[in-house]
Amino acid sequence: MKKLALLALAASLTACATANTDSRTASASDKDWSAPKGADDRTPFASTYRPFPGRPTALVGATVYDGTGGRIDNGTVLLRDGKIVAAGDASLSTEGYDRIDGSGKFVTPGVIDIHSHLGDYPTPSVDAHSDGNEATSPMTPEVWAEHSVWPQDPGFTRALANGGVTSLQILPGSANLTGGRSVTLKNVPARTVQGMKFPGAPYGMKMACGENPKRVYGGKGRMPSTRMGNFAVNRQMWLDAKAYDGKKRDLGKETLKGVLAGDILVHNHCYRADEMALVMDMAKEMGYKVTAFHHAVEAYKIGDLLRENGVCSAIWADWYGFKMEAYDGILENAAFLRQADACVIIHSDDANGIQRLNQEAAKAQAAGRRAGIDIPDAEVIGWFTLNAARAMGIDGMTGSLEPGKMADVVLWNGDPLSVYSRPEKVWVDGALMFDTMDRKRRPVSDFELGQPGEGDVK
């Protein structure tokens, strides 16, 4: 690629850092959350998700990556009653379990995408389906992404079958400085978004800095039209939220108060290193915390600052140059962040990319190797499993093959960091939701019923 001088700068910033050998970072949320109650004293739009029925299952003989940085050769993974019972070596007893031979195959936790717009920008991509940006005001904390999610989006089944995705966060778009609440979903068929809603997951709030808000609203002849306008509008929003007394319900300020209380997690679209540093300063001024910067193509320049502030970088492997603020993107972004002991997550922001997060992580790993940074395969698996779960506040429930966690599991037909491998079977809460060897377990969205190619693995 380019930017040799910047590569040298990143290397110098990280040369003294201790390698993060297990990709661990603090969880974004260690407490229960609750939305404001409605007039009937009930939580609005509460999850109605119920796991599909499953059977006690033992995956035996596979290479197991547990998501925490561990690797088990000739391993055994036990699933029962929707939970992980154990992940260990061949000595684990499989009595009472349906045995599945994983010889020559690989097992990982279910893939988690921290940045998706499935359902809000579904396919077919037509104007009637464009529901991800409420681009009528630069500040719309009152909107909730879940109210735009179309459960019939064929992208959900593609992500499950082709990408092994078992959980994903749906975010509003990036036209606004404050885009609204995100929602975390289990990737299962449902008639309603409540039927997909991940039980116990904290809400997120989407924010954006840089080119998008100033272009959208500057183009309308209103503030913000500059980066300084972005920050001024944001700071005033936080000041107004801090003064809110709650006597008269205000949906936007309820969300902002939830952020200030630490109950709602901030996911901030941001590309440039200088802006990320400014946003972290604004967060300290106003009393909130950024959980993750998304896209973050210049994160490698400030790995030390991100580590010190406990902020994850949710990034692509190689997207760069498609707009000015993406110009300094480099292939080694993830590797330099890891060298700085900062939290790395591979995300999609794309209906096709979500189907191959494993390959994107492998590309980022390979770029690091070429730069002299050798990152173990078992650690890279955490970039699209446990690290994503931590930044979404759901790592106590999923993201790794630890006993008691949800049995969200993928059996790959080969090395998951190879372009030649794909999911063979996918379990969500211990229920077998996809099986490439069984046409009856190839999910089809309602929208696709009766159409050519129905049920094909595309």
Side-chain angles (χ1 to χ4, degrees):
M1 215 169 161
K2 57 183 180 65
K3 305 295 178 191
L4 294 179
L6 292 177
L7 292 177
L9 170 63
S12 68
L13 286 173
T14 60
C16 296
T18 301
N20 183 357
T21 57
D22 65 359
S23 289
R24 289 187 178 274
T25 185
S27 175
S29 177
D30 293 319
K31 58 184 179 181
D32 293 335
W33 60 272
S34 60
K37 296 292 195 295
D40 59 359
D41 200 36
R42 297 169 66 183
T43 301
F45 317 109
S47 171
T48 59
Y49 170 77
R50 295 292 182 271
F52 283 70
R55 290 186 54 79
T57 302
L59 308 179
V60 299
T63 300
V64 177
Y65 291 125
D66 66 8
T68 70
R71 171 178 173 146
I72 307 168
D73 294 314
N74 191 23
T76 301
V77 179
L78 304 179
L79 322 178
R80 184 187 289 274
D81 297 329
K83 303 293 185 184
I84 302 292
V85 175
D89 60 25
S91 66
L92 284 175
S93 172
T94 61
E95 185 177 355
Y97 291 84
D98 296 343
R99 287 172 57 96
I100 294 178
D101 184 6
S103 300
K105 302 171 185 179
F106 288 71
V107 176
T108 70
V111 175
I112 299 173
D113 191 1
I114 195 174
H115 190 119
S116 177
H117 299 294
L118 293 183
D120 281 5
Y121 285 114
T123 49
S125 299
V126 295
D127 286 346
H129 280 167
S130 181
D131 290 316
N133 275 308
E134 182 56 43
T136 52
S137 168
M139 319 302 289
T140 56
E142 65 270 27
V143 304
W144 296 19
E146 64 200 75
H147 297 151
S148 283
V149 169
W150 183 43
Q152 294 182 41
D153 182 0
F156 288 120
T157 55
R158 301 286 190 275
L160 179 77
N162 296 335
V165 174
T166 56
S167 301
L168 64 167
Q169 179 174 223
I170 310 302
L171 296 151
S174 55
N176 298 345
L177 290 166
T178 303
R181 291 199 196 195
S182 69
V183 63
T184 296
L185 304 179
K186 301 285 287 192
N187 194 12
V188 298
R191 295 177 299 168
T192 65
V193 68
Q194 293 99 315
M196 301 175 73
K197 203 168 176 180
F198 194 120
Y203 281 110
M205 187 179 81
K206 172 72 173 291
M207 298 187 71
C209 61
E211 291 183 22
N212 287 15
K214 77 188 190 80
R215 181 188 71 248
V216 170
Y217 293 97
K220 297 178 180 180
R222 60 174 298 185
M223 192 174 186
S225 65
T226 62
R227 281 180 163 84
M228 61 184 175
N230 284 350
F231 275 86
V233 173
N234 261 334
R235 293 175 72 215
Q236 189 61 55
M237 175 193 76
W238 289 116
L239 291 173
D240 292 346
K242 289 163 78 76
Y244 174 59
D245 61 13
K247 292 180 179 178
K248 179 181 179 181
R249 285 196 69 181
D250 181 304
L251 294 177
K253 289 186 175 63
E254 284 179 359
T255 292
L256 296 173
K257 280 288 193 181
V259 173
L260 293 170
D263 296 325
I264 297 176
L265 311 176
V266 171
H267 296 272
N268 208 131
H269 160 119
C270 214
Y271 286 70
R272 279 180 15 186
D274 58 317
E275 287 188 276
M276 287 186 265
L278 285 169
V279 167
M280 287 187 284
D281 281 347
M282 176 171 61
K284 291 173 185 174
E285 175 194 16
M286 297 299 174
Y288 69 96
K289 183 182 186 303
V290 177
T291 297
F293 285 116
H294 291 232
H295 313 331
V297 299
E298 291 188 13
Y300 65 94
K301 297 182 180 181
I302 55 167
D304 55 336
L305 296 181
L306 294 166
R307 180 191 68 244
E308 290 163 7
N309 285 275
V311 182
C312 289
S313 298
I315 61 176
W316 300 292
D318 54 8
W319 286 23
Y320 93 103
F322 51 92
K323 53 182 174 175
M324 199 64 216
E325 63 187 2
Y327 188 73
D328 271 357
I330 63 172
L331 299 173
E332 299 81 2
N333 193 12
F336 284 141
L337 284 166
R338 187 268 191 181
Q339 187 87 332
D341 240 354
C343 169
V344 178
I345 299 166
I346 299 295
H347 72 352
S348 78
D349 189 31
D350 180 73
N352 291 312
I354 194 174
Q355 299 176 41
R356 49 191 63 87
L357 289 175
N358 57 312
Q359 295 179 22
E360 295 300 300
K363 287 194 291 185
Q365 177 193 35
R369 186 180 298 118
R370 291 191 295 270
I373 304 170
D374 194 12
I375 307 166
D377 292 353
E379 181 180 334
V380 172
I381 297 299
W383 291 357
F384 53 89
T385 58
L386 188 56
N387 281 8
R390 286 190 174 116
M392 293 160 62
I394 57 174
D395 58 297
M397 296 177 277
T398 190
S400 62
L401 302 179
E402 296 176 272
K405 288 192 176 183
M406 295 170 169
D408 298 341
V409 181
V410 182
L411 175 66
W412 304 82
N413 64 6
D415 183 349
L417 299 178
S418 165
V419 296
Y420 298 106
S421 300
R422 57 171 295 114
E424 182 175 298
K425 293 178 172 62
V426 182
W427 290 264
V428 179
D429 280 309
L432 182 59
M433 303 303 297
F434 170 73
D435 185 350
T436 193
M437 310 305 290
D438 181 357
R439 296 193 65 85
K440 294 180 180 179
R441 291 190 186 273
R442 295 183 185 179
V444 182
S445 110
D446 281 359
F447 179 78
E448 294 180 282
L449 290 173
Q451 298 193 31
E454 172 191 317
D456 289 352
V457 179
K458 301 178 178 70

